[in-house]
């Protein structure tokens, strides 16, 4: 049996059609798609509105289809696309139904904790626990595949919609199927109303299970009807979906797309990731084009980490004459022209950064994670993001270093996974409260004991650590600190300078050295455990002290078995992110120019001067080329390293080494 089409590089263009777009000129649209560099069209097919003459009463057939001679937009699109060799994916949205169907079938619909339906612009939200999702959606897919040879499906907003399009919070669904299902899932736990309810975390696990089961059943249903069609959705689908978008009022995390792709791929290398890059600013402002530098970053971060790029517009291509779409075209065409380089592209990073679970302290934990993320990027330490809920599936020898930033108490299966890393000779680094449960260390319990915890802002104010290379150039402790007593075989360092008065200025003296370590480390099995009882990532993210970044990364690498391999030697500045990978075409190194990362925006990056990159390669490359600059590269062998000269870097470049 041949490999599924989604296991080879592909590029998508999505037209999210409005009801009034049923008269779409399919030939003109396909001209734009081909010109964009895409080979796949994601087209609105059914659910809320059917763009074909459906015979099912659970769907509303688009009344504007009467404008078409055929009365069938999907049939026309399929015929035209097939003639051009462009595959078509069906966009389905089962999240809402119209008033008539809601009145006839209230059991399908979301019910708020106060017994109210979720209404938005005349439509009612449905619930994944109900019959509409659990049964009727399968009937729709059967009808569609019985008529059209679609290459696959994407299901929009298949979730428990606690918020509507205006971000109004409605609460946890209280429909009868949800009430019954949750009672069976968690007997004795009161059905929650929202995040502040005691049972909300349990509800989230229940809801995730419902969606996982629904996805798995739908995937099997599609496969039975059309073995060569793929499903784009969550972890149980053929292709993992990620939407890269902007929103008014949302703080910008410049690495959001790269983080999401890495987290998806590290858990399942064989499953492709589909990044749908939104070409407009926000859903309410869908006719305002995104900044071209911003949209370019979505797609660039996607392909650098091995995802498949997609550009998403509302309506027909002529409705979105955005400069940003031109920028997306550049990246999409580059991916097309170098498809052999991206075939099977996978990370070769030897470091994992764990993305911890969201909790009541989400803001603090997010700062710690993002600060650690930036530290590794800027110190040229390539890494994969690994979701904490996927730690249990981590291969013990996949990474030489695993960093768990401020993740709280670990589940038993997570402890077992990290013990496997240590047994395989790896290093595990815990920051903040990672790996502590009721005052006891869950890994290597004789490494350190906890004597006290300072958790409030006031309790650590004026506490310092001696991280700087200059005597007396101290570092502030922010976000908490635990007083540790190292075990008999442990090493420790960065012993804190205790608190003293910090105001008025006349009284700002009296700090004294203490024995409280800023790090404790010991061998555990064949590996090494490093405990940082504070939050260096948070300090770097929120205070911006580069010496914090440099000190914690250097200390971790010194204690890592393959520390010399974990970081990439280079004279390129910290504004260049290095993303190493390997594909069927050879060794692939993305050099991403991050000098354009600015507060709440991306600006045009400054050119980066030519430099060198040092790679540990067993064999000399047959050829080395910079794909964006379009030049062959000079290289030399220095012991175990191959030193490659890099060209000037604009937004990005890609080093392609064959035979290495």
């Amino acid at each position: 049996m041949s490999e599924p089409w989604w296991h080879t590089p592909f590029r998508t263009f999505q037209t999210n059609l409005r009801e009034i777009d049923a008269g779409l000129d399919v030939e003109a649209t396909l001209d734009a798609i081909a010109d964009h560099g895409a080979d796949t069209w994601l087209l609105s097919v059914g659910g809320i509105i059917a763009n074909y003459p459906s015979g099912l009463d659970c769907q509303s057939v688009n009344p504007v289809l009467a404008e078409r001679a055929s009365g069938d937009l999907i049939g026309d699109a399929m015929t035209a696309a097939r003639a051009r060799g462009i595959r078509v994916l069906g966009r389905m949205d089962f999240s809402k139904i119209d008033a008539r169907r809601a009145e006839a079938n209230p059991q399908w619909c979301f019910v708020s904790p106060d017994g109210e339906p979720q209404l938005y612009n005349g439509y009612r939200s449905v619930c994944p626990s109900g019959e509409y999702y659990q049964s009727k959606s399968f009937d729709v897919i059967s009808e569609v595949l019985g008529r059209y040879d679609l290459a696959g499906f994407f299901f929009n907003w298949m979730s428990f919609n606690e918020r509507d399009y205006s971000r109004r919070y409605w609460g946890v669904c209280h429909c009868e199927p949800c009430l019954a299902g949750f009672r069976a899932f968690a007997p004795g736990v009161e059905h929650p109303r929202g995040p502040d309810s005691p049972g909300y975390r349990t509800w989230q696990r229940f809801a995730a299970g419902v969606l996982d089961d629904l996805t798995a059943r739908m995937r099997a249903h599609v496969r039975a009807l059309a073995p060569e069609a793929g499903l784009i959705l969550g972890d149980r689908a053929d292709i993992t979906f990620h939407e890269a978008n902007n929103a008014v009022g949302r703080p910008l995390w410049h690495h959001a797309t790269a983080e999401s792709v890495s987290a998806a791929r590290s858990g399942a290398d064989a499953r492709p990731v589909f990044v749908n890059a939104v070409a407009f600013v926000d859903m309410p402002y869908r006719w305002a084009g995104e900044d071209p530098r911003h949209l370019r970053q979505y797609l660039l971060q996607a392909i650098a980490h091995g995802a498949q790029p997609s550009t998403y517009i509302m309506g027909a291509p002529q409705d979105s004459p955005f400069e940003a779409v031109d920028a997306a075209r550049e990246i999409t065409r580059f991916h097309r022209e170098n498809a052999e380089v991206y075939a099977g592209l996978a990370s070769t990073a030897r470091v994992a950064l764990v993305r911890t679970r969201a909790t009541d302290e989400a803001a603090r934990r997010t700062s710690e994670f993002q600060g650690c993320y930036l530290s590794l990027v800027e110190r040229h330490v390539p890494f994969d993001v690994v979701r904490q809920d996927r730690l249990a599936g981590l291969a013990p020898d996949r990474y030489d270093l695993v960093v768990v930033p401020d993740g709280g108490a670990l589940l038993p299966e997570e402890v077992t996974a990290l013990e496997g890393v240590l047994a395989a000779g790896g290093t595990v680094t815990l920051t903040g409260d990672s790996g502590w449960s009721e005052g006891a260390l869950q890994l290597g319990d004789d490494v350190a004991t906890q004597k006290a915890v300072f958790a409030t802002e006031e309790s650590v104010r004026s506490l310092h650590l001696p991280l700087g290379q200059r005597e007396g150039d101290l570092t502030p402790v922010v976000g908490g600190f635990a007083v540790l007593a190292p075990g008999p075989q442990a090493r420790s360092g960065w012993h804190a300078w205790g608190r003293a008065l910090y105001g008025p200025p006349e009284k700002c003296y009296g700090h004294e050295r203490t024995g409280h370590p800023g790090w404790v480390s010991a061998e555990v099995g064949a590996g090494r455990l490093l405990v940082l009882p504070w939050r260096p990532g948070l300090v770097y993210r929120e205070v911006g002290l580069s010496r914090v970044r440099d000190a914690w990364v250097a200390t971790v690498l010194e204690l890592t078995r393959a520390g010399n391999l974990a970081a990439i030697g280079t004279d390129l500045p910290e504004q260049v992110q290095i993303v190493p990978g390997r594909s069927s075409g050879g060794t692939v190194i993305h050099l991403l120019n991050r000098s354009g990362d600015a507060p709440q925006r991306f600006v045009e990056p400054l050119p980066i001067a030519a430099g060198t990159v040092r790679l540990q390669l067993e064999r000399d490359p047959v050829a080395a080329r910079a794909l964006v600059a379009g030049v062959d590269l000079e290289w030399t062998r220095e012991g175990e390293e191959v030193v490659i000269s890099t060209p000037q870097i604009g937004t990005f470049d890609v080093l392609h080494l064959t035979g290495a």
Side-chain angles (χ1 to χ4, degrees), residues 262 265 269 303-306 341 344-351 376-377 380-384 398-399 565-569 576-583 586-592 613-617 653-657:
S262 182
R265 300 218 66 212
D269 253 358
I303 66 173
H305 290 82
V341 173
L345 180 62
S347 168
T348 56
R350 297 297 300 170
V351 175
L376 295 173
V377 166
H380 299 132
V381 180
F383 61 95
D384 294 337
R398 171 61 184 88
Y399 299 105
L565 300 178
I568 289 184
V576 177
Q577 181 180 1
I578 302 177
V579 185
R582 185 177 294 114
S583 74
T587 297
V588 182
I589 312 292
H590 282 79
L591 305 177
L592 310 182
V613 171
R614 310 176 74 91
L615 302 175
Q616 295 266 351
L617 298 175
D653 214 320
V654 182
L655 311 186
H656 181 212
L657 282 62

Side-chain angles (χ1 to χ4, degrees), residues 14-60:
Q14 178 186 178
T15 54
N16 193 345
L17 301 183
R18 303 158 296 171
E19 190 174 74
I20 60 174
D21 295 321
L24 184 75
D25 184 335
V26 296
E27 293 292 352
T29 300
L30 286 164
D31 285 343
I33 291 171
D35 179 67
H36 196 77
D39 57 9
T40 304
W41 181 9
L42 178 53
L43 173 64
S44 304
V45 171
I48 295 175
I49 290 291
N51 283 314
Y52 68 97
S54 174
L56 299 173
D57 188 55
C58 62
Q59 288 196 111
S60 298

Side-chain angles (χ1 to χ4, degrees), residues 313-372:
I313 65 167
M314 290 289 294
Q318 65 267 24
D319 297 320
S320 299
F322 305 147
E323 185 182 357
V325 174
D326 296 339
R329 182 187 299 113
E330 295 172 11
I331 302 300
T332 305
R333 286 179 170 182
F334 178 84
H335 190 267
R336 179 192 64 188
E337 293 159 7
N338 296 282
E340 74 285 353
V341 173
Y342 288 99
L345 180 62
S347 168
T348 56
R350 297 297 300 170
V351 175
L353 178 64
V354 177
R355 187 172 70 187
T356 51
R357 284 182 291 270
T359 67
D360 294 337
E361 303 88 14
R364 186 197 77 201
R365 299 193 191 283
T366 297
S367 285
E368 175 66 9
F369 170 81
Q370 292 182 352
C372 289

